[in-house]
Amino acid sequence: MYLADSRSTGSRGTEAPAAPDTRPGRRPAAVPPTVLALGAVSLITDVSSEMVTAVLPLYVVVGLGLSPLGFGLLDGINNGVGVLVRLAGGHLADRGGRRHKAVAGLGYGLSALCKPLLLLAHTLPVLSSVLAVDRTGKGLRTAPRDAMISLATEPAQRGRAFGVHRAMDTTGALLGPLLAFAVLRATVDGYDAVFAVSGCVAVLGVLVLVLFVPRRVDASADGPADAVRRTPPPEPERPPALRDAIGLLRRPELRRLTVCAALLGMTTVSDSFLYLLLQRAGDLPAHLFPLLPLGTAAFFLLLAVPLGALADRLGRRRLFLAGHGVLLLGYGLVLSPWHGVPAVLAVLVLHGTFYAATDGVLAAATAAVVPARHQGAGQALVGTGQALARFACSLAFGAAWSLWGGRTALALTAAALAVSAAVAAFVLRGTAETPTPDEVPA
């Protein structure tokens, strides 16, 4: 594996940082080594996280006997509590010479510490607290990680780079449920064994981050020194202040993207609820439940890179909206009279396609309209809006399921998604996808 050095230089101008490795006569690398190293960290970490995610719904609903509303609360925490620290994580990463790796490492470390604590979580308050700390770690690391990917990659290749990273991340999501399934089958106290193995894997991910990701990532982190010496020395810069991060929302392009990501997030049913609905519709045995995320992960893995490259050519916002159209088709299949294993597989195909068309594509679209020195804060703003919306959706869906049943709750969500997609298409129409000046408007 490539061990990147920590050379860095500042840049200030009207565009996002130039591509790493820009030697004359040499084509810039579409996927810099830093992106591959971060992809390896995400792969290992996702094995750990998805082991827990794969068994958590059954552990909570069957093992602990909680109601769908109680699970909705836990799932909301699992997806939304990180928003309380995501903005802080992005802002801290941008300050002090871009401490993206340090902040990301803190986030990965917190999540690793929480996995063994699940062995002690047998009540809703304790489980909620552990998940809250775990998601705090995720909230801290997500924006700095995506900022490092943006800063290390040529602007025109960011869709592909994020696609490669998400494909590696999804490989972990594919392996995690398989490992959880194997542990459940091989042990007596299956849930405790899953949590213990998950903790060991998470520690390995932190070690890979420390050893193989450069301390500082910028336009020269993966490129040769002679590509940098031709540029004049940068002027000293004032560290970004928190008001500068919030001021990014004055940029019309970023504001529209944030609003639309939040609007669509409010009508995106969490994976756990969707898998519970599929398990009931397909009448699948409980021990097969951890395998359901494999269908999503497999097609996410297959399509993340080609759809990321397609987004670079056709437009990232356009593909982001199309991905939500695919998700709406998946909801329709769940609600249709077609049941059984083939229907379950078809929904998982659409679910994986949705993630491949939206996850990394949204991060690439954000990077295109955020200055280089505010990449962490910009990624955090959009991610925070989306995460808050999904937190609200989890709570509302859990309550609707408890009151009216799962199918009625999904039908209402599907109708709301159709309306949200139409509104988002109107808001984003005609917007440009170009790098923005490295200044925050007053």
Side-chain angles (χ1 to χ4, degrees):
M1 184 178 291
Y2 179 88
L3 180 58
D5 61 34
S6 60
R7 290 171 296 148
S8 64
T9 184
S11 64
R12 191 177 181 90
T14 59
E15 293 188 354
D21 201 358
T22 53
R23 258 178 276 187
R26 180 171 179 177
R27 183 179 179 181
V31 184
T34 295
V35 176
L36 298 178
L38 287 168
V41 175
S42 293
L43 188 157
I44 297 169
T45 302
D46 232 41
V47 170
S48 170
S49 298
E50 292 302 321
M51 286 183 68
V52 174
T53 301
V55 302
L56 190 63
L58 284 182
Y59 177 66
V60 170
V61 175
V62 177
L64 300 183
L66 294 180
S67 66
L69 179 58
F71 178 70
L73 174 62
L74 280 177
D75 193 66
I77 291 173
N78 197 35
N79 288 289
V81 75
V83 303
L84 300 176
V85 296
R86 186 172 298 195
L87 285 174
H91 172 64
L92 290 174
D94 288 337
R95 288 183 62 86
R98 294 175 182 165
R99 298 174 180 173
H100 299 96
K101 179 180 176 179
V103 178
L106 176 61
Y108 281 110
L110 277 178
S111 295
L113 287 174
C114 286
K115 299 302 188 297
L117 294 180
L118 290 171
L119 295 168
L120 308 176
H122 301 297
T123 63
L124 180 59
V126 176
L127 189 59
S128 299
S129 300
V130 173
L131 290 178
V133 176
D134 178 68
R135 293 301 92 180
T136 295
K138 182 174 177 61
L140 280 174
R141 70 181 184 250
T142 300
R145 179 203 66 200
D146 286 349
M148 285 190 281
I149 295 172
S150 300
L151 293 169
T153 308
E154 167 132 11
Q157 298 289 341
R158 281 173 178 156
R160 183 188 298 273
F162 274 104
V164 169
H165 174 268
R166 296 314 197 253
M168 296 179 72
D169 181 88
T170 307
T171 301
L174 191 66
L175 296 175
L178 282 175
L179 185 54
F181 176 73
V183 171
L184 283 176
R185 296 280 291 181
T187 58
V188 177
D189 297 324
Y191 293 121
D192 288 347
V194 168
F195 298 150
V197 174
S198 173
C200 295
V201 176
V203 171
L204 177 61
V206 176
L207 291 176
V208 173
L209 175 76
V210 172
L211 295 175
F212 295 102
V213 175
R215 183 175 60 87
R216 294 177 64 185
V217 178
D218 61 14
S220 64
D222 288 322
D226 61 346
V228 177
R229 282 195 291 265
R230 292 190 297 271
T231 62
E235 297 179 0
E237 290 184 345
R238 171 182 61 84
L242 184 59
R243 64 177 179 274
D244 296 332
I246 302 300
L248 289 172
L249 288 177
R250 297 172 187 167
R251 297 174 176 269
E253 303 297 329
L254 182 64
R255 184 169 60 247
R256 292 176 184 177
L257 193 61
T258 303
V259 169
C260 291
L263 182 64
L264 292 167
M266 291 183 66
T267 53
T268 301
V269 176
S270 75
D271 296 356
S272 298
F273 275 127
L274 186 62
Y275 295 148
L276 284 172
L277 287 169
L278 283 176
Q279 191 252 347
R280 296 187 180 190
D283 197 23
L284 299 177
H287 72 274
L288 294 180
F289 186 87
L291 299 181
L292 287 178
L294 295 183
T296 296
F299 281 89
F300 189 176
L301 174 62
L302 289 174
L303 296 174
V305 176
L307 288 183
L310 182 65
D312 287 335
R313 295 195 300 270
L314 299 183
R316 292 151 190 166
R317 293 177 178 84
R318 184 178 301 172
L319 196 64
F320 179 70
L321 292 173
H324 284 85
V326 171
L327 180 64
L328 185 60
L329 290 177
Y331 291 171
L333 278 183
V334 176
L335 295 170
S336 72
W338 187 31
H339 298 300
V341 174
V344 171
L345 292 176
V347 173
L348 294 177
V349 169
L350 294 172
H351 200 220
T353 304
F354 157 71
Y355 276 117
T358 58
D359 190 8
V361 171
L362 178 62
T366 302
V369 295
V370 176
R373 67 195 296 259
H374 290 288
Q375 280 292 322
Q379 295 287 348
L381 283 170
V382 177
T384 295
Q386 187 180 61
L388 275 174
R390 290 184 174 179
F391 174 78
C393 183
S394 288
L395 293 180
F397 193 89
W401 187 332
S402 297
L403 291 173
W404 304 308
R407 289 180 60 84
T408 301
L410 185 62
L412 293 173
T413 305
L417 176 58
V419 174
S420 298
V423 173
F426 177 78
V427 172
L428 293 176
R429 74 192 190 287
T431 54
E433 297 190 40
T434 57
T436 56
D438 198 12
E439 295 289 344
V440 177

